[in-house]
């Protein structure tokens, strides 16, 4: 691993530990963290979500974190208060590892800039 990858992984693990302190348990993977971001962005607090809602929440989270680099723009919300995003620029073609790295970088940035956590 190169130095930047090691630093990213260090911050990722620090984020998971910080979320454990805030949420009560350490998120097991990226999907769990994206779900938390989606719930935060929806802004309705703790709720019971069905499988489709959970997928939509993860989509909201992906759009939100990638909006930090201008890939998506918030278009507005629907009648139920769910945010809708528009693709602003094409995402780079990455393999799965590079996609995960891109998401990790943006998720960390989200928690630093939007939530105020420091790693």
């Amino acid at each position: 691993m190169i130095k930047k990858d090691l630093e990213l992984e260090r911050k990722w693990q620090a984020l998971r530990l910080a979320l454990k302190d805030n949420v009560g348990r350490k998120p097991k993977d990226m999907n769990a963290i994206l779900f938390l971001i989606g719930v935060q962005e929806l802004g309705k607090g703790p709720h019971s979500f069905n499988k489709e809602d959970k997928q939509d929440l993860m989509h909201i989270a992906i759009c939100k974190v990638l909006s930090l680099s201008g890939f998506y723009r918030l278009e507005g919300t629907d009648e139920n208060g769910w945010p809708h995003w528009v693709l602003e620029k094409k995402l780079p073609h990455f393999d799965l590892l590079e996609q995960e790295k891109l998401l990790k970088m943006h998720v960390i940035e989200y928690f630093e800039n939007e939530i105020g956590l420091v790693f």
Side-chain angles (χ1 to χ4, degrees), residues 4-119:
K4 285 180 10 180
D5 289 343
L6 288 172
E7 180 64 17
L8 177 63
E9 198 55 36
R10 184 197 65 74
K11 285 184 171 189
W12 183 252
Q13 295 308 322
L15 168 62
R16 291 179 66 220
L17 287 173
L19 289 173
K20 178 183 178 189
D21 293 341
N22 287 307
V23 181
R25 65 181 187 196
K26 189 162 108 177
K28 65 179 180 173
D29 59 16
M30 173 71 74
N31 288 338
I33 295 173
L34 290 172
F35 174 77
L36 291 172
I37 293 170
V39 170
Q40 174 72 23
E41 290 302 309
L42 182 60
K44 295 186 178 196
H47 230 62
S48 180
F49 297 104
N50 64 36
K51 184 177 180 177
E52 186 178 325
D53 289 342
K54 290 176 183 177
Q55 290 174 336
D56 290 344
L57 288 166
M58 290 177 19
H59 176 73
I60 289 168
I62 290 169
C63 292
K64 173 61 182 179
V65 299
L66 292 179
S67 75
L68 300 174
S69 288
F71 289 108
Y72 287 90
R73 173 182 52 80
L74 181 62
E75 183 178 51
T77 56
D78 65 18
E79 63 278 354
N80 296 318
W82 286 72
H84 290 270
W85 297 84
V86 175
L87 183 65
E88 285 290 299
K89 63 182 181 182
K90 189 174 173 145
L91 291 162
H93 181 71
F94 287 140
D95 63 28
L96 287 176
L97 290 175
E98 292 295 317
Q99 287 176 22
E100 183 176 21
K101 190 187 308 184
L102 178 72
L103 279 176
K104 281 182 178 181
M105 290 174 7
H106 283 84
V107 165
I108 290 166
E109 183 181 355
Y110 171 85
F111 279 98
E112 289 175 336
N113 296 339
E114 304 281 328
I115 307 299
L117 296 178
V118 179
F119 309 106

